Amino acid sequence: MPDVAGLSALEILDSRGRPTVQATMRLASGAVATVSVPSGASTGKAEAHERRDGDPGRYGGLGCRHAVNAIETEIFDAIQGRQLESQHAIDELMIELDGTAEKSRLGANALLAVSLAFARATAAERGVPLYQHFAELAGLDAPAALPRPTVNLFSGGKHAGGQMEIQDVLIVANGASTVDEAMAMTYAVFQAAAALIRQRYGMRLLVADEGGLAPDFSSIDEAFQLAVEAIDVAGFRPGDDVSLCVDVASSHFFAGGRYAIGGESLTPAEMIALVRSWVDRYPLVSVEDGLSEDDWDNWLALRTALDGRALTLGDDFLTTNPSRIERAVAAGAANALLLKVNQIGTLTEAAQALHLARGAEWAVVVSARSGETEDDWLADLATGWRGDALKVGSITRSERLAKWNRLLAIEKETALPLTPWPRRAP
Ligand code: PGA
Ligand code: ZN
């Protein structure tokens, strides 16, 4: 039974140069593990709260010294010397210690760092790969397949210069049969897109927060058209070999019941019609946050409009929050969960979210954040938790590559097949 003998934390910087939290845990057995937690920019309102220092004179108030201090004092005092028989035990203990619904007192960034450090240290103590330990702590069998990469090609919204309202146009190599093949196909499409962008926009390969290309598109259609062209130029068949996904991230341009997009102000019904027209015209297989997190009444109509063609994927809408997922399942409001553990703050609660989604036969896409670190635990989590897909951003920027490279290593170690893209029956 793991027994925590030491716990320290450090304020480090994420891929945007903003502070985040790293924790190092030592078990009495001698096993040691360090983890770093990510941080979003295009956040959902219902997300667990990161604890930030609020001192405007230091990192614009974004410092994490209080969260670091909470780990080293209050959390360590509560867990040291206790026989923690499971991940559930340590997570429940921290949730109770925090005592708030949003984890705002100690901070979700502090809790998640400890939750993950415990998982990694326990895996080391047991001598099992992290993906296998993640599977077991969620009550799952050993993974039978690897998550399929969905890779950011173009960035907009809050992750780029706001040149288009939608946040990501992604590619998924649905024709690939291994991660290795998927990455090579992705590279070919990315390079083709970069060459087209150089010709059309005179822009060299400069990338946005998640490593995507972000030229000055004059319309959203131009971005989709260029993505299809890049797939074609790279020698693949759009839709058969390589398809598209979109993260509309529409909560960020929704106000007063309307969507401000493409110079227009759309009603929810018009927004659904716009999204549907994209799916009709482009090889789109997944639509994330096609409606706002506050537009609950219209998600069923969105899902119905997309059914059988593209996944209706909820990110800000669901925030990996079991009660929001339960409500969405009951309402038929989605059929896929974007799973980000820092939206909820502990592995135990994220596993509950996973089980609710799976119980409803939803697809699950395990996702990084826009503010990431060089840590690679996410690839193990996506594998162990049997994600249909892994969303990490692009294939540039090392905080992204840490995860893709870990997935390549897991593939070599396990020789597992790649999960087929979860197409929905009409
Ligand atoms: P975030 O965005 O990490 O900035 O919140 C990622 C996403 O919307 O998927
Ligand atoms: Zn999103």
Side-chain angles (χ1 to χ4, degrees):
M1 219 179 282
D3 176 356
V4 178
L7 182 62
S8 63
L10 182 66
E11 181 190 61
I12 60 165
L13 302 185
D14 73 13
S15 54
R16 276 190 283 251
R18 296 180 188 166
T20 188
V21 178
Q22 183 179 77
T24 298
M25 183 178 285
R26 185 167 49 81
L27 301 180
S29 60
V32 180
T34 297
V35 296
S36 304
V37 300
S39 175
S42 150
T43 48
K45 284 197 282 208
E47 289 193 25
H49 289 192
E50 293 171 337
R51 188 158 173 202
R52 300 282 182 182
D53 297 342
D55 169 3
R58 191 168 178 277
Y59 292 117
L62 295 175
C64 292
R65 282 178 170 171
H66 293 322
V68 162
N69 188 50
I71 292 174
E72 292 189 334
T73 57
E74 219 180 317
I75 296 177
F76 183 48
D77 289 348
I79 62 178
Q80 75 165 319
R82 296 275 285 264
Q83 293 287 309
L84 297 160
E85 73 279 6
S86 64
Q87 186 71 41
H88 189 257
I90 186 168
D91 289 346
E92 285 300 321
L93 198 151
M94 289 194 292
I95 290 165
E96 259 179 50
L97 186 68
D98 172 76
T100 67
E102 309 83 18
K103 305 186 176 65
S104 52
R105 197 179 74 76
L106 297 169
N109 42 0
L111 265 60
L112 183 65
V114 177
S115 185
L116 284 166
F118 183 77
R120 187 174 258 165
T122 308
E125 183 173 277
R126 299 176 59 218
V128 300
L130 186 55
Y131 57 81
Q132 189 182 321
H133 183 67
F134 276 140
E136 289 174 31
L137 73 82
L140 300 170
D141 295 336
L146 298 171
R148 188 168 290 269
T150 60
V151 181
N152 187 318
L153 186 64
F154 300 137
S155 300
K158 291 192 168 228
H159 292 170
Q163 82 288 19
M164 62 174 174
E165 292 87 355
I166 65 170
Q167 190 169 286
D168 317 315
V169 173
L170 304 103
I171 51 177
V172 54
N174 49 293
S177 50
T178 61
V179 177
D180 176 66
E181 194 187 346
M183 296 321 284
M185 290 168 77
T186 298
Y187 173 87
V189 176
F190 189 88
Q191 291 304 326
L196 289 168
I197 282 171
R198 183 185 264 281
Q199 281 167 20
R200 308 242 169 108
Y201 303 88
M203 188 186 163
R204 69 183 184 86
L205 209 157
L206 297 171
V207 299
D209 283 10
E210 293 193 351
L213 301 161
D216 194 13
F217 292 121
S218 60
S219 69
I220 292 166
D221 278 300
E222 206 170 281
F224 285 130
Q225 282 158 8
L226 198 76
V228 173
E229 206 178 328
I231 294 169
D232 190 49
V233 168
F236 302 117
R237 292 165 301 168
D240 290 327
D241 302 320
V242 182
S243 298
L244 302 180
C245 307
V246 61
D247 184 358
V248 187
S250 64
S251 303
H252 305 291
F253 54 84
F254 179 73
R258 300 186 84 95
Y259 294 87
I261 181 166
E264 298 194 56
S265 172
L266 304 185
T267 63
E270 288 166 341
M271 185 67 204
I272 293 170
L274 175 65
V275 170
R276 169 70 197 234
S277 81
W278 295 336
V279 174
D280 286 342
R281 285 179 293 136
Y282 307 112
L284 268 170
V285 293
S286 173
V287 175
E288 180 179 335
D289 284 348
L291 291 176
S292 162
E293 62 196 342
D294 293 322
D295 201 3
W296 272 93
D297 293 347
N298 294 300
W299 273 78
L300 171 61
L302 173 69
R303 201 216 77 217
T304 310
L306 302 184
D307 253 357
R309 322 191 51 190
L311 297 176
T312 304
L313 176 62
D315 171 18
D316 295 348
F317 177 53
L318 301 169
T319 55
T320 318
N321 183 313
S323 51
R324 286 180 78 93
I325 296 164
E326 268 177 336
R327 184 175 162 200
V329 168
N335 55 26
L337 168 70
L338 195 84
L339 188 147
K340 293 167 163 170
V341 284
N342 81 327
Q343 283 180 328
I344 189 73
T346 64
L347 283 168
T348 298
E349 293 157 291
Q352 284 163 10
L354 174 75
H355 289 302
L356 286 168
R358 287 302 190 201
E361 298 186 358
W362 285 13
V364 174
V365 178
V366 176
S367 174
R369 300 308 303 249
S370 53
E372 270 293 339
T373 74
E374 59 274 30
D375 203 337
D376 60 4
W377 52 262
L378 192 76
D380 288 81
L381 189 77
T383 302
W385 284 12
R386 298 168 163 241
D388 294 286
L390 174 60
K391 182 187 180 208
V392 162
S394 188
I395 52 163
T396 62
R397 301 184 53 133
S398 294
E399 77 281 3
R400 314 285 144 193
L401 274 306
K403 284 77 166 168
W404 297 134
N405 290 342
R406 173 66 186 144
L407 192 62
L408 287 164
I410 295 173
E411 176 168 75
K412 178 152 192 212
E413 189 178 308
T414 62
L416 287 171
L418 201 49
T419 306
W421 182 259
R423 283 199 180 277
R424 297 274 138 190

